[in-house]
Amino acid sequence: MTELTSAPLTAEQLVSQLELAIHEHRLAPGTKLGEDEIASIYSVSRTTVRSALQALSLQRLVEHKRNRGAYVAQPSLREAREVFEARALLEPRTAFSAAERTTEEDIAKLQVHIDAEHEAMAVGNHGRALYLSGQFHIEIARIADQTTIETFIKQLISRSSLIVALYWQRRTAMCESHAHDALVSALADQDGPRADELMRNHLLDLVTSLDLRNKTSAPLSLKDALGQ
Amino acid sequence: MTELTSAPLTAEQLVSQLELAIHEHRLAPGTKLGEDEIASIYSVSRTTVRSALQALSLQRLVEHKRNRGAYVAQPSLREAREVFEARALLEPRTAFSAAERTTEEDIAKLQVHIDAEHEAMAVGNHGRALYLSGQFHIEIARIADQTTIETFIKQLISRSSLIVALYWQRRTAMCESHAHDALVSALADQDGPRADELMRNHLLDLVTSLDLRNKTSAPLSLKDALGQ
DNA sequence: GTTTTCAATATTGTGTACAATTTTGCGCAC
DNA sequence: GTGCGCAAAATTGTACACAATATTGAAAAC
């Protein structure tokens, strides 16, 4: 389903593949990304892999340790807070702008998105649900027609996915997408101020659903802590 | 002055060199960045050059055209507007946060910065003055202690430099750094709201000093338009 | 039995060589 | 004289081979 041709993946496609895997929590934070390993899995040369890993490194999705290799990033508590502070600065206002120029096609698209989210949740595919949940936020930035800000938000969403993997409190209950429903409603009404407010609260809810107290610096397990 | 050792530059250092050259307008938008050319100039391998160019490409400082090479980016009018909209979302609030935690050392540092700006202006080194002017904004983000947002602002400042190169109206008069003086004052008083307001107005002044009307899509000269 | 040192192995970092694509210049036809 | 087409040159994209560094395991000393 992911690929039809047998043509070797380009670096850009490889970035997408790895990005998606990280998004959907198939690759956990701290996982080592060996160059030869990835090269053989995707049947590409190490040159391609290195290019892809550099791109992901600049996006802060992987951490590069000199002469030791690339690892899926493990955002610190501080980084986690910063990511959500940045989102708080960008997303509400972007939702505001989006509301003012939302078309009917946009609403339809968002509705499809939300349905897919619910579907993934129903099937129990939490990784997929989380990915789609992120795409929803990106879609709003797209509607706002601000590609520069959209790029930033994309990056923040990616990193948020890592943060969720590390600091999520409730393992069972996933994020209620009622917030997303309400946002779509505000966008459909072209109600900027309401969209702004809803997005602000949504982000606040997200942060409070995380465990961002600095008990220890421990990320996941003892093995991970020593694994560095 | 730029280097003492004869050790070959690392990719990261090369990025800094090229970044600085673009910042200071020694490399104009649209300039072709041939891989072999750069490799011979800095006595590094093409591998290093390619790595550096990829990094700059992801920062939107250079545009990569498949099988045609890398060029110093030429932000479109639309892109230019977007960059300043993003700055308007990030920088005022960041100045606010910075004001609340500014120390005396920070003030001293900023003052040195401003003095250097004036000095560069006095000598007529406009490129240098522009670079330092950008660094001032980055310094404020640093004071705010928000590395994630700082990274975004760095990128926006870089791109602003390209935008100034393309769309600056008054060729003679450079940006009056009185705005920067006022900001330092607000920071020294730890007056968040005033810093926010001053930054907001400063950015507004910057935008209005640019020529962002969409007369044609022409960037600089006819030659450039054809040069693609 | 524990610790330290050293060699063997594995992995990343870097440079070079080849392949693919595009551009350019010349020649021929109209 | 102008326009088209093909071949040669140049430049980027990709793969491979070697060098540098870090990790691992075993052997020896305490």
Side-chain angles (χ1 to χ4, degrees):
Chain A
M1 185 181 264
T2 49
E3 66 182 38
L4 303 168
T5 70
S6 61
L9 263 59
T10 172
E12 208 175 49
Q13 294 173 314
L14 182 55
V15 169
S16 298
Q17 295 269 336
L18 294 174
E19 230 172 6
L20 186 61
I22 294 173
H23 254 94
E24 293 185 349
H25 290 185
R26 298 200 308 270
L27 283 173
T31 305
K32 166 143 196 185
L33 301 172
E35 297 182 352
D36 269 321
E37 202 177 343
I38 297 175
S40 70
I41 290 174
Y42 290 99
S43 301
V44 294
S45 86
R46 258 187 62 218
T47 306
T48 305
V49 174
R50 284 182 68 79
S51 174
L53 288 178
Q54 191 196 353
L56 292 170
S57 175
L58 291 170
Q59 271 183 72
R60 303 285 203 133
L61 245 65
V62 316
E63 287 166 8
H64 236 86
K65 303 182 181 175
R66 181 164 185 92
N67 284 321
R68 295 205 39 202
Y71 298 79
V72 178
Q74 294 182 319
S76 65
L77 277 165
R78 180 210 165 92
E79 242 180 292
R81 291 195 204 94
E82 284 190 352
V83 164
F84 279 95
E85 287 185 44
R87 291 185 64 172
L89 251 54
L90 293 173
E91 295 204 59
R93 194 69 198 170
T94 299
F96 186 105
S97 301
E100 291 183 334
R101 60 185 71 204
T102 303
T103 66
E104 291 185 15
E105 294 99 295
D106 292 329
I107 296 296
K109 221 169 168 180
L110 287 173
Q111 201 56 58
V112 170
H113 229 101
I114 288 184
D115 291 344
E117 267 185 69
H118 286 247
E119 174 66 17
M121 273 290 290
V123 182
N125 192 343
H126 290 189
R128 186 76 190 164
L130 180 65
Y131 169 74
L132 290 169
S133 162
Q135 292 303 112
F136 179 86
H137 287 247
I138 294 170
E139 185 67 14
I140 287 178
R142 191 196 59 75
I143 293 171
D145 202 32
Q146 290 275 352
T147 58
T148 296
I149 292 172
E150 186 184 336
T151 303
F152 289 154
I153 291 180
K154 266 183 191 162
Q155 195 181 127
L156 292 170
I157 297 281
S158 300
R159 294 170 71 182
S160 294
S161 170
L162 290 174
I163 292 164
V164 167
L166 287 171
Y167 303 107
W168 192 257
Q169 279 185 324
R170 303 164 279 177
R171 317 300 282 178
T172 55
M174 212 58 189
C175 64
E176 23 43 76
S177 33
H178 296 311
H180 288 188
D181 286 322
L183 266 165
V184 171
S185 159
L187 262 56
D189 296 345
Q190 301 202 323
D191 188 341
R194 194 162 117 242
D196 186 304
E197 173 93 9
L198 284 169
M199 182 61 87
R200 194 180 309 276
N201 288 332
H202 179 41
L203 289 173
L204 236 69
D205 285 346
L206 273 177
V207 170
T208 54
S209 76
L210 296 175
D211 186 6
L212 260 39
R213 301 160 304 183
N214 50 347
K215 32 187 183 185
T216 72
S217 68
L220 198 60
S221 69
L222 194 60
K223 184 168 65 69
D224 280 332
L226 299 172
Q228 317 206 30
Chain B
M1 186 181 265
T2 49
E3 65 181 39
L4 303 169
T5 69
S6 60
L9 264 59
T10 170
E12 209 173 49
Q13 293 172 314
L14 182 54
V15 168
S16 298
Q17 294 270 336
L18 294 174
E19 230 171 8
L20 187 61
I22 294 173
H23 254 95
E24 293 185 349
H25 290 184
R26 298 199 309 271
L27 283 174
T31 305
K32 166 142 195 185
L33 301 172
E35 296 182 353
D36 270 321
E37 202 178 341
I38 297 174
S40 69
I41 289 174
Y42 290 98
S43 301
V44 294
S45 84
R46 261 187 60 216
T47 305
T48 306
V49 175
R50 283 182 69 80
S51 174
L53 289 178
Q54 191 195 355
L56 292 170
S57 175
L58 291 170
Q59 271 182 74
R60 302 285 203 134
L61 246 66
V62 316
E63 288 166 8
H64 236 85
K65 303 180 181 177
R66 180 163 185 94
N67 284 321
R68 295 207 34 203
Y71 298 79
V72 178
Q74 293 182 319
S76 64
L77 277 166
R78 180 210 165 94
E79 242 181 293
R81 291 195 204 94
E82 284 190 352
V83 165
F84 279 94
E85 287 185 46
R87 291 185 63 174
L89 251 53
L90 293 174
E91 294 204 59
R93 194 69 198 170
T94 300
F96 185 105
S97 300
E100 292 183 333
R101 60 185 71 202
T102 304
T103 67
E104 290 185 15
E105 296 100 292
D106 291 329
I107 297 296
K109 222 169 169 182
L110 287 173
Q111 201 56 58
V112 169
H113 229 102
I114 289 185
D115 292 343
E117 267 185 70
H118 286 248
E119 174 67 15
M121 273 291 290
V123 183
N125 192 343
H126 290 189
R128 186 75 191 164
L130 180 65
Y131 169 74
L132 290 168
S133 162
Q135 292 304 111
F136 179 86
H137 287 248
I138 294 170
E139 186 65 16
I140 286 179
R142 190 196 58 77
I143 293 171
D145 201 32
Q146 289 277 350
T147 58
T148 297
I149 291 172
E150 186 183 336
T151 303
F152 289 154
I153 291 180
K154 267 183 190 161
Q155 196 181 127
L156 293 170
I157 297 279
S158 301
R159 295 170 71 182
S160 295
S161 170
L162 291 174
I163 292 164
V164 167
L166 287 171
Y167 303 107
W168 192 258
Q169 278 185 325
R170 303 164 279 178
R171 316 301 282 180
T172 56
M174 211 58 188
C175 65
E176 24 43 78
S177 33
H178 296 311
H180 288 188
D181 287 321
L183 265 165
V184 170
S185 160
L187 261 57
D189 296 346
Q190 302 201 325
D191 187 340
R194 194 162 116 241
D196 187 305
E197 173 93 8
L198 284 169
M199 182 61 87
R200 195 179 306 276
N201 289 331
H202 179 40
L203 290 173
L204 237 68
D205 286 346
L206 273 177
V207 171
T208 54
S209 76
L210 297 175
D211 187 6
L212 259 39
R213 300 161 305 183
N214 51 347
K215 32 187 183 185
T216 72
S217 69
L220 198 60
S221 69
L222 195 60
K223 184 167 67 66
D224 279 333
L226 299 173
Q228 316 204 32

